[in-house]
Amino acid sequence: MTGFLDTLAMALDTLRANPLRSLLTLLGIVIGSATVVATMALTEGLRIKVTSDMALLGNAAFVVQKWPAPGFGDQDWARFAQRRPLTREQGEALRALPHVAHVSIEDNLDRPEVIATRERATRPVVTVVGAVTDYEEANAITIGEGRFLSEVDVALGRRVAVIGADVADALFPGGRPLGREIRIRGVPFEVIGVAARMGSILGLESKDAFAVLPWTAYELALGRPRDHYLGVVATSPADVPRAIDEVVATLRRLRGLAPFAENDFDYFTNDSVNQTFEGLARLVGAATLGVCALALLVGGIGIMNIMLVSVTERTGEIGVRMALGARRSRILAQFVVEAVTLSLLGGVVGVLLGAGGALLAHALVGVPASVPAWAVVLSLASASGAGLLFGIYPAARASRLDPVEAMRAE
Amino acid sequence: MTAPLITADRLTRHYVVGGELVRALDGVSFDVREGEWVAIVGQSGSGKSTLMNLLGCLDTPTAGRYVLAGTDVGTLADDALADLRNREIGFVFQTFQLLARATALANVELPLVYRGLPRRERRERAEAALRSVGLANRMHHRPNELSGGQRQRVAIARALVGEPSILLADEPTGNLDSQTGEEIVRLFADLHARGHTLILVTHEPRLAARCPRAIRLMDGRVLGDGPGGELASAGGGRVPA
Ligand SMILES: Nc1ncnc2c1ncn2[C@@H]1O[C@H](COP(=O)(O)OP(=O)(O)O)[C@@H](O)[C@H]1O
Ligand SMILES: [Mg+2]
């Protein structure tokens, strides 16, 4: 143990003797570790965010639609476009199912709209949905001011609207939006409620840029979509699988699918969105590891180079140490420890930079970031691994020097 | 009489340089007893350093036998040689060979580091060694903050600290002015008086004359072996058979 501490002390000493050169040498290792940690911090941050942000739906809710679940891969949109629409009648039929508590039948022309008052207009466009009252439960809407749509609003086709917080901010910067008039495609609606702010998806896409209208009024003002989104809320979170079974069976029957035919609709829960993200995260992780392996390789070669230079410069010193009784294994250990210390130092600097960068990005731009301990351990371990691997050859060269020859070198 | 501390028996060291054989040492034999002070003299290129490197176990002979404190050095592997150097040999070099970045104390501790002694004992012994060469108040100076004579004292302290059975010095005054050289010689004389076994290479007749015994080399052979006073000038002394 004394031996190791002495060796370590010697290593630190030589690093201190040449701080700038040591630092430059470490650049590869620093970049490698910084990349690992930064990428992992961002991915981990995303993961945490995704789990909460992608909870677009209520706890026990799932969505049934003609389109495949939101994903990150390529989708054959033409094939899905040919599917028959989900009708209002099919949606209504789901209400009777034993494990279904709510069915939110949503009119959405998938066409962002501009909402205006006499003075202002929303600049980023807004998603406008024609809804039934179940929309509130299916989409986990919390009302901030006023109220949500009522059965009467829907039945009478009242021109009323519940707006998201972004819309309220844009149109009524002075506040007090309730009772005010907004226009969608020139048709006036009265604001009866403002939803509590829900934030954004991964700091990018706001979840508060929407307006919900009674579907009856929606169809008058914006036109009648053929297709619908169905937000289904099960009787409890545990009942979701049963509710899905019932819904799938009912829809297959209503849509006249033959027993072995594929479903001509899709459904997804919050969980399935998260799983899609996990796949993406793994992909990003693999790509990052590739980049880092490359950076560590470059860094390792840098370490090897500097250690070879160091052995040459310190040939005399090596000779003296041998003359004083250092065994060859001791010289080997000294240089290996030096290389590992050097690269570990680079790893630490890299981790600090990477974590600092990720957290800075979080603070400045709001990108989610969280530094996982395992990423720190991974970078430090791989940095010292690179030092060990690439430090062995120079160290072996040092240990094989002839003491008399070495001392003659100046 | 007890067995000699050192027995050199027809020690031979040849180099091949550019296809040509250089007989740096060509069958050198002598004994050194404990407590002796021996000077090795001879012209430049006569083989003095080559001999010292063999005696210091830094190099191995091409032929011949070298026995140090009962150990036949020729039979030893690298690690055993390193341990032997560490325990039995104290080496002082013409160019001091101190580690530039280490303090005097750290330099002196080094042999004890390789002996695996605990930090505290190392420090105490290194301090004692530095005090014994008159450097009690220079322990934390680095070599470039010391004069030539002081550096050589550090080197001597480093050679002494492990209590080796023999102290070897290759032209220890070669890089010093004559007055500083004289101080170092007095230090050696003092060490001799305290019972240390010393072998030192010099080409200064004045220094050799002070040694009780001198061995004169020429072209890798022993030209004479006798009292330093007689051998200080070229050609003196008895030539071994
Ligand atoms: N490593 C070596 N390779 C080749 N020749 C050497 C080597 N070391 C010493 N010699 C030769 O051996 C002879 C003795 O050298 P050395 O022992 O250094 O002499 P001295 O120390 O007496 O001046 C010289 O001719 C020198 O050139
Ligand atoms: Mg010489």
Side-chain angles (χ1 to χ4, degrees):
Chain A
M1 195 56 202
T2 1
F4 177 73
L5 286 181
D6 287 326
T7 311
L8 190 68
M10 284 180 200
L12 287 175
D13 208 48
T14 48
L15 302 188
R16 227 176 303 139
N18 240 323
L20 182 66
R21 194 174 73 182
S22 302
L23 206 70
L24 289 177
T25 310
L26 293 178
L27 223 52
I29 300 272
V30 168
I31 292 170
S33 315
T35 320
V36 178
V37 172
T39 319
M40 293 307 155
L42 294 177
T43 326
E44 183 69 8
L46 276 181
R47 188 193 313 278
I48 293 169
K49 266 300 241 184
V50 159
T51 328
S52 63
D53 288 5
M54 287 290 182
L56 298 171
L57 313 171
N59 219 356
F62 58 97
V63 166
V64 182
Q65 60 183 25
K66 151 177 155 174
W67 307 102
F72 300 96
D74 271 340
Q75 309 273 16
D76 185 1
W77 293 103
R79 185 160 72 87
F80 301 111
Q82 284 168 12
R83 286 173 165 180
R84 287 168 296 164
L86 287 162
T87 65
R88 182 166 297 280
E89 291 67 36
Q90 288 165 4
E92 291 294 347
L94 303 180
R95 290 188 191 282
L97 296 172
H99 293 100
V100 170
H102 296 278
V103 180
S104 165
I105 303 163
E106 297 167 19
D107 277 353
N108 183 345
L109 288 162
D110 285 328
R111 193 176 53 194
E113 304 285 348
V114 174
I115 303 182
T117 61
R118 241 182 274 286
E119 296 82 24
R120 296 190 172 73
T122 54
R123 267 245 290 122
V125 284
V126 172
T127 304
V128 178
V129 183
V132 293
T133 55
D134 304 68
Y135 184 95
E136 189 176 5
E137 289 83 11
N139 294 281
I141 300 284
T142 310
I143 287 295
E145 293 179 68
R147 62 175 177 86
F148 196 71
L149 306 179
S150 70
E151 297 287 356
V152 182
D153 296 329
V154 177
L156 297 181
R158 281 183 180 152
R159 289 188 182 157
V160 292
V162 174
I163 57 178
D166 282 358
V167 179
D169 288 348
L171 299 181
F172 309 106
R176 300 179 179 281
L178 294 183
R180 308 276 290 272
E181 183 187 283
I182 58 173
R183 281 172 184 267
I184 305 172
R185 297 190 172 226
V187 180
F189 286 82
E190 181 194 340
V191 177
I192 57 165
V194 179
R197 192 174 296 281
M198 292 193 281
S200 58
I201 299 172
L202 315 179
L204 303 171
E205 195 183 326
S206 173
K207 294 198 281 188
D208 297 301
F210 68 90
V212 187
L213 317 175
W215 69 271
T216 38
Y218 177 98
E219 292 189 355
L220 272 175
L222 288 101
R224 180 170 199 163
R226 293 178 61 227
D227 191 31
H228 298 83
Y229 292 88
L230 305 178
V232 183
V233 183
T235 41
S236 81
D239 290 336
V240 169
R242 260 167 292 191
I244 288 178
D245 276 357
E246 293 166 4
V247 165
V248 168
T250 308
L251 288 178
R252 286 183 68 91
R253 183 167 47 76
L254 292 176
R255 293 160 74 84
L257 291 181
F260 295 104
E262 215 185 309
N263 285 341
D264 64 349
F265 53 89
D266 265 279
Y267 55 87
F268 65 89
T269 61
N270 285 330
D271 281 352
S272 58
V273 176
N274 290 345
Q275 274 159 21
T276 313
F277 174 77
E278 288 300 323
L280 179 77
R282 265 195 295 279
L283 206 70
V284 171
T288 318
L289 286 186
V291 171
C292 295
L294 205 69
L296 284 174
L297 182 74
V298 173
I301 291 171
I303 296 271
M304 179 143 89
N305 180 48
I306 205 67
M307 290 312 292
L308 284 173
V309 170
S310 171
V311 169
T312 307
E313 279 180 359
R314 290 156 62 197
T315 299
E317 174 192 324
I318 295 163
V320 174
R321 289 179 184 277
M322 287 177 162
L324 296 178
R327 292 180 172 195
R328 294 192 186 281
S329 53
R330 193 61 193 266
I331 301 291
L332 183 87
Q334 183 189 336
F335 280 88
V336 168
V337 168
E338 237 178 86
V340 171
T341 310
L342 198 63
S343 34
L344 193 60
L345 212 71
V348 170
V349 173
V351 164
L352 291 179
L353 282 182
L359 295 178
L360 197 71
H362 174 65
L364 294 184
V365 198
V367 185
S370 160
V371 183
W374 62 266
V376 173
V377 172
L378 178 76
S379 346
L380 294 185
S382 45
S384 19
L388 185 68
L389 198 68
F390 290 92
I392 281 179
Y393 171 66
R397 260 183 56 166
S399 75
R400 282 200 297 264
L401 287 173
D402 174 71
V404 176
E405 296 290 328
M407 274 194 292
R408 201 168 320 183
E410 256 323 305
Chain B
M1 249 172 126
T2 53
L5 183 61
I6 278 180
T7 302
D9 181 16
R10 281 161 292 174
L11 274 185
T12 302
R13 181 66 164 98
H14 291 171
Y15 295 104
V16 178
V17 182
E20 210 174 311
L21 190 70
V22 178
R23 299 169 194 273
L25 275 189
D26 208 13
V28 168
S29 302
F30 59 88
D31 289 347
V32 176
R33 299 193 171 278
E34 208 176 308
E36 272 199 281
W37 182 7
V38 183
I40 310 280
V41 297
Q43 288 169 346
S44 181
S46 58
K48 304 183 296 294
S49 292
T50 305
L51 177 60
M52 291 300 265
N53 290 338
L54 289 180
L55 296 181
C57 304
L58 287 168
D59 195 11
T60 43
T62 315
R65 221 162 61 92
Y66 170 38
V67 181
L68 168 63
T71 309
D72 188 343
V73 176
T75 63
L76 298 180
D78 271 355
D79 278 357
L81 273 179
D83 293 349
L84 197 66
R85 286 197 292 271
N86 186 255
R87 298 192 163 274
E88 307 294 347
I89 310 283
F91 226 130
V92 178
F93 304 93
Q94 178 175 347
T95 51
F96 319 135
Q97 301 281 17
L98 298 176
L99 300 195
R101 287 189 308 273
T103 61
L105 195 61
N107 265 291
V108 176
E109 275 187 46
L110 213 48
L112 304 182
V113 169
Y114 292 127
R115 200 176 288 185
L117 293 188
R119 192 171 294 267
R120 182 118 79 87
E121 185 181 347
R122 262 165 26 200
R123 168 141 310 204
E124 282 167 5
R125 286 177 62 168
E127 284 171 357
L130 279 166
R131 272 196 299 274
S132 78
V133 297
L135 285 180
N137 52 2
R138 292 287 186 281
M139 297 202 187
H140 301 285
H141 291 231
R142 286 172 205 281
N144 63 1
E145 298 158 351
L146 296 171
S147 72
Q150 288 170 332
R151 285 182 215 183
Q152 197 57 303
R153 284 168 190 273
V154 174
I156 292 169
R158 185 176 68 182
L160 286 173
V161 75
E163 292 173 358
S165 50
I166 185 161
L167 204 63
L168 301 175
D170 191 351
E171 308 214 26
T173 60
N175 273 22
L176 302 175
D177 61 63
S178 57
Q179 196 194 326
T180 321
E182 180 59 30
E183 285 173 23
I184 295 297
V185 171
R186 272 206 298 275
L187 183 56
F188 278 115
D190 186 37
L191 291 173
H192 172 60
R194 283 194 257 158
H196 286 276
T197 310
L198 310 176
I199 301 181
L200 76 91
V201 167
T202 182
H203 55 217
E204 289 175 43
R206 269 188 326 121
L207 208 176
R210 305 261 291 268
C211 298
R213 178 185 172 194
I215 295 174
R216 173 167 291 276
L217 293 184
M218 191 170 155
D219 296 336
R221 289 167 179 274
V222 175
L223 190 67
D225 186 344
E230 293 175 21
L231 271 165
S233 51
R238 65 194 151 81
V239 180

